[in-house]
Each structure stands twice: as structure tokens, then as C-alpha cells.
């Protein structure tokens, strides 16, 4: 166990040493979440689950106080004020046994695919909801009376509205009675954006050019651009998706790019040309941090009360070329930037080169792809059916815009390594400084939720929360303003988290440093701004996160604790930093700050101070502080006494002083000491197991194979052939991903194209993924900081580090025993 732990640290350390710290990319926004909230700290948040699986489709009706949840084989109606209050209603909607048998005969997966996955849940009209399910590869839809909450006797055919495949990218909205869906519907059919439940159903065009190429849809957003429009513009629906790129100049052909497209709500299609097809379909490239981050995962829109202030937030993960690494980027887009692209030049398909290039010829009037406005009406075009053939022909052949949609600030707000953001939601909060701050909730691929606040052009991650115990992708996120909650949907259930848990911040400094726009300090505690009676009494500093606490006053001194050790022991003085951004500082005897890496017997770690080979002259007062944003809070005080030798006593394993003083009930003390010892061993063992397993759940670190001949892999316990029952991590020396080692390819196989150069942020291997000082990472209890007495470049040095560590761990057992006795004798 210990050995594996040492190995693990060895690899982390080796990785940290391998990189050249000087290289930094232009975008260096790898934010560390300020605090880490483990699963057990979220024990009292409402959770809902039943026998069903895949709670992926969420529909919140905030005014009614209902959260509808579409799952596998069921639809639920939950009370949004507390989804776990037991008042849920359920519609059982399983695929029929015949359809399941059909599905199995088609060779579909009986564990995931041959079920009724509810993929669409929307409000149809004031009395009815509309739902569609995959129904074991035979999609069906139903109008559901929301009050009765039962399935109607008659179900509708769903193949025009819902995908067959439960895992296929899909998005659907009901807007003014019309159902707008985008997906790849049937088996091997082309992707399509469709309108149904409307007197004029519409689709996208497939000839002479496909408007969509292998599109995988992510989200759709309605923007009511008709509201307050001086030209009587139309409402628009924006679609966010990925598709195969065909443009000239895209770095990697045939790879996916992210796109945004839009259609006009009052589009009726053309009369002869583009009959029953959109006349207003246009698409543009959605750039975030190209060419690396191309896989669009989640989109959310916010507006400040009127549509011109609409912003879109989108999360991206690495393009296929870099799938072996996990990283995410978050970008922000203003609606004006989308409009700029759609009003700019068009692209044209060149049959000879089979590429899309800029079109510089004549553009007919009215402008192809635009909605019908007053200007077109003045010219006699009252609807899309009146548009001249020239315009419709142009639309047919020019769906792609030349300009790409660039992110606000020109770059991502956030780039985060070792994390896959799979879902995103945003809320706009009014802070005490009178400004609005956007708060992003980002779900990860392994069941965590990150809460970040957008400050200028960057995101400060306030906290990371382990919302699901079993690692699983967060599938959907919805925010309720009325309940001040965020609902999180995933395979195993739904949970409801408060937008803010201000009471978690115990001091004024902690409250201010969190920079949470929902929270402020009122002199006695950290409170939610929205529920505070008197805002004038509150203190908050979202912009800098440092101002507002009267110095010293809010910081109570911790209780001093005594520690006794023997000469030669290694002593750990625990001091937990609440914040991952805080720097630990120790003072000895009120002076003499202990700095990292100064050598000698002191090692400053994130969870304590380690005194190696303690000597009697190391006795004294030790005070631990957390320093963050220039603010210093006292966290722990110790009086350390190092004895030159063990007080004379016969039994070496027995507790000397206690035994002597407590001679009348010596047996009792013996038993309790043995119990304490056993408990300690258990705790230590569990701690180590926890560290390695938690790390497995949380992040997967793959070293740059060119930098080191070792790859750190996660090995799942049930992985065949590599069965290490309790093992979570394994070092596989000399193994590199196949793409990076063409020498290992079969001689006859054509070598794959060399991977494109990595962005600078990745070339320095893991050191980029890890902070310079190894921190507490998601619960790892014990990590040394800046263990770099000598510049180590070869792995030989690291071996000695590992040996030293096992030695320390060995000795710690003894030290903790003495500590424990000390406390019990007080
Ligand atoms: C449904 O949940 C199961 C169990 O977690 C998972 O394996 C499967 O991929 C999920 N299916 C979909 C379509 O999300
Ligand atoms: C939800 O629960 C609250 C509190 O128990 C109750 O007041 C409210 O009426 C419930 N809402 C619905 C829709 O049942
Ligand atoms: C699914 O199929 C496998 C192999 O065909 C079979 O062993 C398993 O029992 C089936 N599971 C269910 C739930 O039908
Ligand atoms: C809502 O739609 C359903 C299904 O089409 C219909 O039966 C019902 O009458 C509609 N309700 C209203 C209030 O229009
Ligand atoms: C458009 O509407 C106007 C006013 O309703 C009408 O006079 C005109 O004839 C219509 N034009 C067409 C082409 O239908
Ligand atoms: C409090 O502030 C004063 C000056 O404003 C400074 O000299 C002093 O060191 C501060 N005390 C603490 C404990 O930070
Ligand atoms: C702290 O002070 C005590 C007594 O004043 C002294 O014996 C001890 O060596 C000091 N400790 C350190 C680490 O300097």
C-alpha cells in the first residue's frame, strides 16, 4: 500500500520535474477551484432518484414550482422547492416488450439502447406538455395533460421529431406551438433541423450542397428579436452543433468544427424553390480556442432583460487529435458578434477543389437568408414565399458564412486541464458593487460541479463540488431564480443545490476571498445577499476579493495545542488550508517565517508542517497561517516539545507516562491504547486508499511520452488482465500512446499522420497540469510542497525522493502515537 503511494507520488513529482516552467502559453487561465467540497459535505442537499435511470431531460416551470424530469422509462413531476419532499408524480412509460424484442433483433445494446429514453419534454400549451421518447428505436411522442399527469391513450409517431438512438446529439424546443428539433433522426439518415406541429413543416436542404455535414447537435436557443425591433424583425432560433469542416484553410480537414446556425421563426419556406425548406438557414463557425478546442459540449444563454444584451456561454473540449488528454475551455459570445457573422460575406463551394472559399460576387436583394422585415415588406415581400427565385437559389447554395464568430475578449474565459465540462448553466447575479456578475455552473464528466464567476475576461472558480458519488457525466443543468437552486441531472439521479452556501465561509476573510457574488459578510456571518434585510451592513469584494474586512477583528486566534515528540522523530503539525489558493505560512517563536524549499528540517505542506529528524532545539511555538490575496488568517497554534529521550520505562511499545500515572486502572488504559493504535492504523490505511482512489476518480494524468518513458494510467479494478483488486494506479514503464510511437506500428500499415503540434500549454507535459507547488488535490491528505532541494532531471533523483517518503511515512506512525498520548494525557 505504502509502496504504491510512494510510486504515485514519484510519478507526480517526476512529472513536475520534467517540464520547463519558463514556457507559458498566451492563454494561461488554468484556474484552480478555490475550495473543494467532497460528496459527504453535500449529504443534506435534496436528491431524487427512483428505479429509473438516465435523468437527462429537465424542464423547469419556475412560476408553477415544478421540475419535470424525463428519464429512461419514466417522466417525473417534482416539487422544485424540494425535489426530495416525497410529493413526486410519475408517468411510467416503458418500451413495450415487442418493440424491445425488435430492437434486440436489430442488434442493439440490451443494456442501454432498447428502452424508452425520454429525450424531449416541453410545454405545448397552457394545459399540455409534449414529450418524445426513443421507445426502443421506435420513437413515439405524446401530448400529456399536465394536471392529470398521465399518458394519453393515443401516442404519436415520433420519427420526424426524436432520434432513434438515445446517445445521439439532439435538441428540441417548442416555440409558439411549433416544434423545432435538430438531430439525426432515423437509421443512417442525414442530420436535419426540422419544424413540426406547424401548418408549414420545414427541413434543411440536401442538394446541391448538404447544409449540414454529419452534424451532432448540442443546444438550441430562442432569441425574441422581434421584441422592440424598429424594423419588425423576426424571432430567431439559434442552433449550436459540431460538423465536419469543409472550408479552405481549416487546419485539419475532415475533422469536426463547432458551428452556430440560425433560422427565422416565421419562415414559411419557398414557393417553387426551397419548398418546405428553410429560406433563412445560415451557419457560421463558432471559434473558441481553435484549432484545439472544437468539441462543443454545452451552451447556455443569458440576457439582461432584453435580447440585445444576450450572451451565450459555451464549453468545449479538445478536438479528436488530442483525445488522450482531458481539458476544457469556456467561451463567451455576444449576440452582436453572431449577427456580424451572419451579415457578413458568404462562402461558396468550389466543385473543382471540393472546398468552401469566400464568395465575392454579387449578392441578390433582399439579402439571402435574412428574415422578413419591414424593409422586405416595403418591397412587396410579405413572407418567405414571396422571395424572388434568385434569392432562394442563392440561399440554397450559400448556407455557410465566411466570418467566424469570435469569442468575447478574443479568447476563452477559462481553460481547465484534466477536466471535461459536459454541461453548463449560467445565472446573472447583482453584486453589492452594483454590477452584474455571471455565475457559471459547469458539470464535469466524472460527477463534479464547478461554480465560477465571470470577472472581466476570466473565470474565478469559487468551488468544486462532488455532486455524485459514482463518477458519471453531468448531463443537464437548470437554474431556478425562484428557488435559488441549480438542478443537476445525470444517469443515477437528479439533485438540487442552492445557488450559494454562504454559511460555509466561516470568517470575514473567507467570505470576501471566495468572491461569490451571492455572498457577503454582515459582521457576524457570511450571508446570502438576496435574503439580507439591510444591504448597507454587508461587505463584499467580487472584483478583487481582498477588501472590506476590518483587519484582525474578524480573525479569532485558534486554540493552542501541545505536541510532544522524541529526538529524531518526524513530526507533522496539521494545519488544514480551507482554500486551495491559500499559501501556508508558519512562524516559529513568533518570528522567523518558515519558507518552502529553504532546506533544513522543515517542510511546509498544504495540510501541515513536517519537522524531520526533530531535535530538542526545535521545540517552540509554531503558528500556522493561510495567506491568500495578501490577507493572512491564523489557522493553528502548537507548542512543540522535543524530548531528548524517551522517559525511562520498561515496555517499549507501551505508553510510558500514562501507564505510570494511571496504575490503578492500567489495564483499561492498555486496552484503550491498543484500540487507539488499531484505530490509527485503520485511519492511515483508509486514508491512503482514499487518496489513491479519489485521485483515480478525479483526474487522469497522462505524461507526455516524449518527456518521460513512463505513463501513469488509471487501471479500473475490473479491467481484464490487469487485475489489481485494490489498486487504483499503475505505472507502465516505456508505454506510450500508439499514435506517438509509430515504431510500434505494424510495418505494412500506413503510418498515421503525425499529430499536429501541441499548443504551448501542453508541451511542457504535466507541469502545466500541476501547479508549481504540488497542492492538495481533491482530498489528497498529504503532499509535500516544492520538494526541490536540488534540480532533479533524471528519474534517479525521484527514486530517492520516493524512498525518503516511505521512510517518513514509516516514522510518522511512531510520532502520531506519541502525539495521541500527549492529547489523552492532557
Ligand atoms: C444511461 O445510464 C447508464 C447507466 O449509468 C449509462 O451506462 C448509459 O450510457 C446512459 N445512457 C444514456 C443514453 O445516457
Ligand atoms: C412544494 O412544496 C412547498 C413546500 O412544502 C409547497 O408550499 C408547495 O405548494 C409545493 N408545490 C407544489 C407544486 O406541490
Ligand atoms: C443482454 O445480452 C447479453 C448477451 O446477449 C445477456 O447475457 C444479458 O443477459 C442480456 N441482458 C438483458 C437485461 O437482457
Ligand atoms: C393543448 O394541446 C392539446 C393536444 O394537442 C389539446 O388537446 C388541448 O386542447 C390544447 N389545450 C389548449 C388549452 O389549447
Ligand atoms: C403584401 O401585403 C400588402 C399589404 O397587406 C399587400 O398590399 C400586398 O399586395 C402584399 N404583397 C404580396 C406580394 O402578397
Ligand atoms: C491592521 O492595519 C494596520 C494599518 O492599517 C497595520 O499596520 C496592521 O499591521 C494591521 N494588522 C493586522 C493584524 O493585519
Ligand atoms: C524557540 O524558543 C525556545 C525558548 O525561547 C528555544 O529553546 C527554541 O530553540 C526556539 N525554537 C526555535 C525553533 O528556534
Amino acid at each position: 500500500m505504502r509502496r504504491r503511494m510512494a510510486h504515485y507520488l514519484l510519478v507526480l513529482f517526476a512529472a513536475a520535474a520534467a517540464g520547463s516552467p519558463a514556457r507559458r502559453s498566451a492563454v494561461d487561465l488554468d484556474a484552480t477551484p478555490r475550495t473543494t467540497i467532497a460528496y459527504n459535505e453535500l449529504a443534506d442537499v435534496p436528491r431524487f432518484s427512483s428505479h429509473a435511470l438516465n435523468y437527462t431531460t429537465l424542464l423547469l416551470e419556475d412560476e408553477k414550482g415544478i421540475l419535470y424530469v424525463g428519464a429512461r422509462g419514466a417522466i417525473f413531476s417534482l416539487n422544485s422547492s424540494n425535489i426530495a419532499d416525497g410529493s413526486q408524480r410519475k408517468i411510467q412509460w416503458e418500451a413495450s416488450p415487442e418493440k424491445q424484442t425488435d430492437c434486440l433483433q436489430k442488434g442493439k445494446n440490451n443494456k442501454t439502447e432498447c428502452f424508452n429514453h425520454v429525450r424531449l419534454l416541453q410545454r405545448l400549451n397552457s394545459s399540455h406538455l409534449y414529450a418524445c421518447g426513443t421507445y426502443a428505436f421506435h420513437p413515439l411522442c405524446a401530448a400529456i395533460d399536465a394536471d392529470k399527469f398521465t399518458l394519453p391513450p393515443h401516442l404519436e409517431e415520433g420519427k420526424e421529431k426524436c432520434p432513434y438512438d438515445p446517445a445521439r446529439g439532439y435538441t428540441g424546443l417548442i416555440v409558439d406551438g411549433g416544434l423545432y428539433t435538430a438531430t439525426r433522426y432515423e437509421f443512417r439518415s442525414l442530420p436535419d433541423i426540422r419544424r413540426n406541429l406547424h401548418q408549414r413543416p420545414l427541413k434543411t436542404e440536401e442538394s446541391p450542397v448538404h447544409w449540414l455535414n454529419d452534424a451532432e447537435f448540442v443546444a438550441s436557443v430562442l432569441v425574441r428579436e422581434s421584441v422592440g425591433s424598429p424594423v419588425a424583425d423576426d424571432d430567431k432560433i439559434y442552433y449550436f452543433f459540431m460538423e465536419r469542416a469543409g472550408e479552405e484553410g481549416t487546419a485539419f480537414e475532415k475533422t469536426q468544427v463547432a458551428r452556430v446556425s440560425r433560422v427565422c421563426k416565421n419562415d414559411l419556406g419557398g414557393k417553387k424553390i426551397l419548398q418546405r425548406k428553410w429560406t433563412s438557414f445560415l451557419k457560421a463557425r463558432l471559434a473558441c480556442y481553435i484549432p484545439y478546442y472544437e468539441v462543443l459540449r454545452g451552451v447556455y444563454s443569458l440576457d439582461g432583460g432584453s435580447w440585445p444584451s444576450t450572451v451565450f456561454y459555451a464549453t468545449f473540449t479538445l478536438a479528436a487529435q488530442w483525445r488522450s488528454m482531458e481539458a476544457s475551455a469556456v467561451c463567451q459570445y455576444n449576440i452582436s458578434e453572431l449577427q456580424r457573422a451572419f451579415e457578413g460575406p458568404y462562402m461558396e463551394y468550389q466543385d473543382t477543389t471540393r472546398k468552401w472559399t469566400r464568395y465575392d460576387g454579387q449578392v441578390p436583394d433582399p439579402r439571402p437568408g435574412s428574415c422578413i422585415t419591414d424593409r422586405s415588406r416595403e418591397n412587396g415581400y410579405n413572407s418567405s414565399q414571396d422571395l424572388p427565385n434568385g434569392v432562394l437559389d442563392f440561399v440554397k447554395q450559400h448556407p455557410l458564412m465566411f466570418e467566424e464568430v469570435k469569442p468575447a475578449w478574443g479568447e476563452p474565459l477559462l481553460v481547465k486541464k484534466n477536466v471535461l465540462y459536459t454541461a453548463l448553466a449560467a445565472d446573472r447575479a447583482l453584486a453589492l458593487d452594483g454590477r452584474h456578475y455571471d455565475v457559471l455552473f459547469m458539470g464535469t464528466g466524472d460527477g463534479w460541479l464547478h461554480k465560477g464567476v465571470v470577472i472581466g475576461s476570466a473565470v474565478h472558480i469559487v468551488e468544486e463540488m462532488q455532486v455524485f458519488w459514482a463518477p458519471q457525466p453531468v448531463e443537464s443543468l437548470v437554474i431556478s431564480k425562484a428557488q435559488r437552486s441549480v438542478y443537476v441531472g445525470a444517469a443515477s439521479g437528479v439533485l438540487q443545490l442552492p445557488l450559494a452556501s454562504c454559511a460555509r465561509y466561516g470568517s470575514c476573510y473567507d467570505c470576501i476571498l471566495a468572491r461569490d457574488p451571492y455572498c457577503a459578510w454582515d459582521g457576524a456571518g457570511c450571508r446570502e445577499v438576496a435574503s439580507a434585510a439591510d444591504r448597507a451592513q454587508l461587505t463584499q469584494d467580487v472584483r478583487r476579493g481582498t477588501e472590506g474586512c476590518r483587519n484582525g477583528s474578524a480573525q479569532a486566534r485558534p486554540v493552542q495545542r501541545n505536541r510532544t515528540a522524541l529526538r529524531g522523530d518526524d513530526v507533522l503539525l496539521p494545519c488544514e488550508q480551507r482554500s486551495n489558493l491559500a499559501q501556508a505560512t508558519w512562524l516559529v517563536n513568533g518570528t522567523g517565517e518558515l519558507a518552502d524549499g529553504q532546506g533544513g528540517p522543515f517542510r511546509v505542506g498544504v495540510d501541515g508542517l513536517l519537522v524531520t529528524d526533530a531535535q530538542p532545539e526545535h521545540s517552540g511555538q509554531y503558528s500556522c497561517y493561510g495567506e491568500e490575496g495578501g490577507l493572512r488568517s491564523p489557522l493553528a497554534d502548537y507548542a512543540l516539545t522535543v524530548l531528548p529521550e524517551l522517559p525511562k520505562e520498561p515496555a517499549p511499545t507501551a505508553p510510558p507516562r500514562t501507564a505510570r500515572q494511571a496504575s490503578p486502572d492500567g489495564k483499561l488504559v492498555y486496552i484503550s491504547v491498543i484500540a487507539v493504535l488499531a484505530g490509527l492504523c485503520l485511519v492511515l490505511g483508509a486514508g491512503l486508499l482514499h487518496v489513491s482512489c479519489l485521485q483515480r476518480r478525479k483526474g487522469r494524468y497522462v505524461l507526455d511520452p516524449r518527456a518521460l518513458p513512463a505513463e501513469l494510467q488509471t487501471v479500473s479494478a475490473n479491467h481484464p488482465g490487469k487485475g489489481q483488486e485494490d489498486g487504483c494506479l499503475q505505472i507502465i514503464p516505456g508505454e506510450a500512446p500508439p499514435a506517438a510511437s509509430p515504431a510500434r506500428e505494424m510495418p505494412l500499415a500506413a503510418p498515421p499522420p503525425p499529430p499536429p503540434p501541441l499548443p504551448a500549454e501542453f508541451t511542457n507535459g504535466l507541469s502545466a497540469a500541476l501547479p508549481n507547488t504540488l497542492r492538495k488535490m481533491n482530498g489528497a491528505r498529504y503532499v509535500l510542497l516544492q520538494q526541490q532541494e536540488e534540480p532533479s532531471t533524471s528519474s534517479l533523483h525521484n527514486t530517492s525522493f520516493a524512498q525518503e517518503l516511505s521512510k517518513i511515512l514509516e516514522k510518522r506512525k511512531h510520532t502520531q502515537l506519541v502525539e495521541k498520548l500527549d492529547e489523552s494525557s492532557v
Side-chain angles (χ1 to χ4, degrees):
M1 194 71 235
R2 200 171 61 228
R3 197 183 164 81
R4 200 165 296 130
M5 169 80 180
H7 261 184
Y8 173 50
L9 285 166
L10 156 80
V11 171
L12 277 187
F13 178 64
S20 60
R23 296 257 293 281
R24 279 279 171 230
S25 76
V27 179
D28 182 27
L29 309 166
D30 188 19
T32 302
R34 181 173 178 272
T35 53
T36 303
I37 316 290
Y39 182 79
N40 56 12
E41 292 171 69
L42 297 172
D44 52 357
V45 302
R47 290 171 190 273
F48 176 80
S49 64
S50 72
H51 295 302
L53 274 177
N54 306 106
Y55 299 78
T56 35
T57 309
L58 303 185
L59 171 67
L60 175 71
E61 299 205 323
D62 225 1
E63 353 40 87
K64 297 195 172 70
I66 298 177
L67 177 73
Y68 294 104
V69 181
R72 194 177 93 176
I75 303 172
F76 300 94
S77 162
L78 308 177
N79 186 336
S80 67
S81 77
N82 179 356
I83 61 168
D85 71 356
S87 69
Q88 75 270 7
R89 296 202 285 163
K90 176 181 182 184
I91 293 176
Q92 188 93 16
W93 190 18
E94 309 265 15
S96 66
E98 307 87 76
K99 286 289 182 282
Q100 281 192 299
T101 313
D102 278 2
C103 176
L104 294 178
Q105 278 165 359
K106 285 178 198 160
K108 296 292 152 193
N109 185 331
N110 65 356
K111 290 223 177 59
T112 56
E113 294 179 313
C114 295
F115 294 92
N116 185 31
H117 289 265
V118 176
R119 305 270 338 248
L120 179 86
L121 207 45
Q122 288 277 298
R123 173 60 66 169
L124 178 62
N125 57 28
S126 57
S127 59
H128 283 66
L129 301 171
Y130 199 75
C132 295
T134 59
Y135 211 77
F137 271 68
H138 183 91
L140 291 179
C141 296
I144 295 169
D145 184 319
D147 288 333
K148 290 202 200 103
F149 207 61
T150 51
L151 273 187
H154 172 70
L155 301 181
E156 297 167 26
E157 178 63 64
K159 70 176 183 203
E160 291 273 309
K161 304 165 190 164
C162 181
Y164 283 57
D165 180 346
R168 173 70 57 204
Y170 174 62
T171 176
L173 285 178
I174 291 183
V175 178
D176 303 337
L179 172 61
Y180 297 76
T181 57
T183 188
R184 189 180 306 207
Y185 298 86
E186 295 151 49
F187 274 137
R188 293 191 212 92
S189 75
L190 294 172
D192 198 359
I193 296 174
R194 290 186 186 170
R195 181 170 66 197
N196 281 294
L197 306 183
H198 194 278
Q199 65 270 37
R200 303 258 180 200
L202 294 177
K203 297 184 179 188
T204 50
E205 182 57 282
E206 283 160 17
S207 70
V209 293
H210 292 325
W211 284 359
L212 297 163
N213 295 303
D214 289 342
E216 191 70 18
F217 289 90
V218 173
S220 50
V221 175
L222 167 72
V223 181
R224 295 246 181 229
E225 293 181 36
S226 65
V227 176
S229 167
V231 295
D233 200 353
D234 197 358
D235 295 340
K236 300 187 181 84
I237 297 135
Y238 290 85
Y239 289 90
F240 295 86
F241 58 100
M242 286 169 298
E243 69 169 356
R244 196 153 33 81
E247 297 102 295
E248 187 123 83
T250 36
F252 315 108
E253 283 175 61
K254 300 215 164 129
T255 60
Q256 285 188 312
V257 295
R259 298 255 195 242
V260 55
S261 77
R262 69 106 216 265
V263 295
C264 303
K265 190 188 73 185
N266 288 318
D267 195 342
L268 301 177
K271 214 169 223 150
K272 273 191 250 134
I273 298 165
L274 289 181
Q275 201 181 20
R276 299 187 153 252
K277 300 282 163 68
W278 300 102
T279 65
S280 56
F281 176 89
L282 293 175
K283 66 180 179 182
R285 176 128 195 229
L286 189 65
C288 178
Y289 190 23
I290 53 173
Y292 312 114
Y293 294 85
E294 294 283 8
V295 182
L296 187 60
R297 295 285 188 153
V299 177
Y300 207 87
S301 72
L302 276 182
D303 69 58
S306 65
W307 72 262
S309 64
T310 303
V311 293
F312 300 93
Y313 288 98
T315 64
F316 295 79
T317 53
L318 284 174
Q321 294 90 336
W322 298 286
R323 278 281 155 80
S324 60
M325 268 173 286
E326 287 187 348
S328 300
V330 176
C331 279
Q332 182 191 45
Y333 304 91
N334 296 317
I335 189 139
S336 54
E337 175 66 16
L338 271 66
Q339 289 177 326
R340 197 187 60 81
F342 290 125
E343 281 158 18
Y346 299 85
M347 296 277 261
E348 183 170 54
Y349 189 67
Q350 301 287 346
D351 278 327
T352 47
T353 58
R354 299 176 163 212
K355 289 254 180 256
W356 289 84
T357 52
R358 183 184 169 130
Y359 172 79
D360 286 315
Q362 278 268 294
V363 174
D365 188 68
R367 189 179 155 84
S370 55
C371 302
I372 301 294
T373 60
D374 278 347
R375 211 188 133 259
S376 12
R377 284 181 204 102
E378 276 159 23
N379 292 317
Y381 309 118
N382 293 349
S383 84
S384 60
Q385 301 215 315
D386 304 332
L387 290 172
N389 290 349
V391 170
L392 295 179
D393 264 329
F394 190 93
V395 167
K396 224 172 144 169
Q397 308 206 26
H398 301 87
L400 180 61
M401 307 314 297
F402 173 75
E403 299 281 355
E404 61 188 26
V405 175
K406 293 202 177 61
W409 314 94
E411 59 178 23
L413 298 176
L414 172 70
V415 174
K416 186 97 189 79
K417 286 130 197 162
N418 303 314
V419 162
L420 288 183
Y421 287 138
T422 51
L424 168 92
D427 182 39
R428 190 162 285 176
L430 176 62
L432 282 180
D433 61 10
R435 298 182 218 227
H436 285 96
Y437 292 92
D438 288 351
V439 180
L440 306 183
F441 291 89
M442 299 164 289
T444 73
D446 56 357
W448 288 66
L449 188 69
H450 290 190
K451 172 178 165 182
V453 52
V454 181
I455 300 168
S457 62
V459 172
H460 163 74
I461 305 182
V462 177
E463 56 194 355
E464 57 177 349
M465 292 166 275
Q466 188 185 14
V467 288
F468 294 102
W469 175 246
Q472 58 191 301
V474 170
E475 304 267 3
S476 41
L477 290 168
V478 176
I479 288 175
S480 164
K481 281 266 186 204
Q483 306 298 339
R484 308 203 52 71
S485 291
V486 53
Y487 305 94
V488 189
S492 73
V494 195
L495 92 160
Q496 175 183 4
L497 275 176
L499 288 180
S501 301
C502 305
R504 250 187 231 134
Y505 306 116
S507 68
C508 183
Y509 282 175
D510 207 18
C511 189
I512 296 291
L513 287 164
R515 303 169 81 182
D516 186 328
Y518 300 121
C519 299
W521 185 258
D522 73 352
C526 197
R527 305 256 178 271
E528 203 168 333
V529 175
S531 60
D534 185 3
R535 290 168 73 101
Q537 296 301 311
L538 298 178
T539 300
Q540 185 189 57
D541 183 17
V542 178
R543 196 141 285 269
R544 284 151 305 172
T546 53
E547 303 297 312
C549 297
R550 250 161 289 147
N551 77 12
S553 65
Q555 305 297 311
R557 281 243 48 108
V559 182
Q560 176 173 303
R561 295 198 278 173
N562 296 323
R563 286 285 181 274
T564 308
L566 290 178
R567 178 201 293 273
D569 273 348
D570 296 323
V571 184
L572 181 73
L573 302 176
C575 176
E576 181 83 19
Q577 298 291 331
R578 277 186 289 267
S579 164
N580 299 322
L581 304 179
Q583 181 85 34
T585 312
W586 287 81
L587 297 186
V588 189
N589 287 343
T591 52
E593 196 165 307
L594 293 179
D596 289 342
Q598 69 181 17
F602 301 113
R603 311 278 159 87
V604 179
V606 282
D607 61 354
L609 174 75
L610 186 66
V611 187
T612 51
D613 192 17
Q615 299 300 318
E617 60 267 30
H618 294 143
S619 303
Q621 297 292 326
Y622 287 77
S623 308
C624 169
Y625 297 86
E627 201 165 319
E628 184 180 359
L631 303 179
R632 183 181 271 193
S633 344
L635 294 175
D637 272 338
Y638 291 97
L640 176 68
T641 315
V642 182
L643 304 174
E645 59 192 13
L646 207 60
K648 281 186 229 78
E649 206 31 58
T653 53
R657 272 180 301 157
T658 331
R660 187 175 51 207
Q661 284 161 4
S663 45
D665 15 61
K667 260 190 190 156
L668 200 82
V669 172
Y670 256 84
I671 291 168
S672 56
V673 163
I674 286 166
V676 162
L677 263 176
L680 257 172
C681 286
L682 213 71
V683 166
L684 203 73
L688 287 175
L689 189 70
H690 184 65
V691 165
S692 54
C693 289
L694 202 69
Q695 202 59 48
R696 173 184 73 169
R697 276 209 320 280
K698 192 47 194 144
R700 203 168 70 122
Y701 301 95
V702 179
L703 304 188
D704 182 348
R706 282 155 292 193
L708 266 178
E711 183 188 3
L712 177 64
Q713 283 203 340
T714 55
V715 178
S716 110
N718 50 16
H719 195 296
K722 289 178 181 170
Q724 268 186 308
E725 291 76 35
D726 62 333
C728 299
L729 291 153
Q730 193 182 10
I731 299 165
I732 300 169
E735 275 212 351
S741 59
R744 284 163 50 96
E745 290 285 313
M746 302 278 277
L748 284 178
L758 290 168
E761 65 185 283
F762 292 119
T763 46
N764 49 3
L766 239 184
S767 76
L770 292 168
N772 281 341
T773 51
L774 298 180
R775 295 207 137 268
K776 181 173 98 171
M777 296 171 81
N778 313 302
R781 299 281 310 158
Y782 183 74
V783 183
L784 292 182
L785 281 179
Q786 287 189 353
Q787 173 65 25
Q788 285 174 336
E789 270 117 31
E790 58 210 282
S792 61
T793 43
S794 81
S795 53
L796 285 172
H797 286 102
N798 304 326
T799 315
S800 64
F801 171 72
Q803 283 162 351
E804 184 190 12
L805 212 101
S806 13
K807 205 178 76 191
I808 288 168
L809 288 171
E810 186 101 78
K811 281 191 177 180
R812 255 178 78 188
K813 278 196 265 173
H814 177 55
T815 313
Q816 289 199 342
L817 169 65
V818 178
E819 273 171 32
K820 209 65 188 182
L821 291 173
D822 207 85
E823 269 179 347
S824 61
S825 64
V826 169

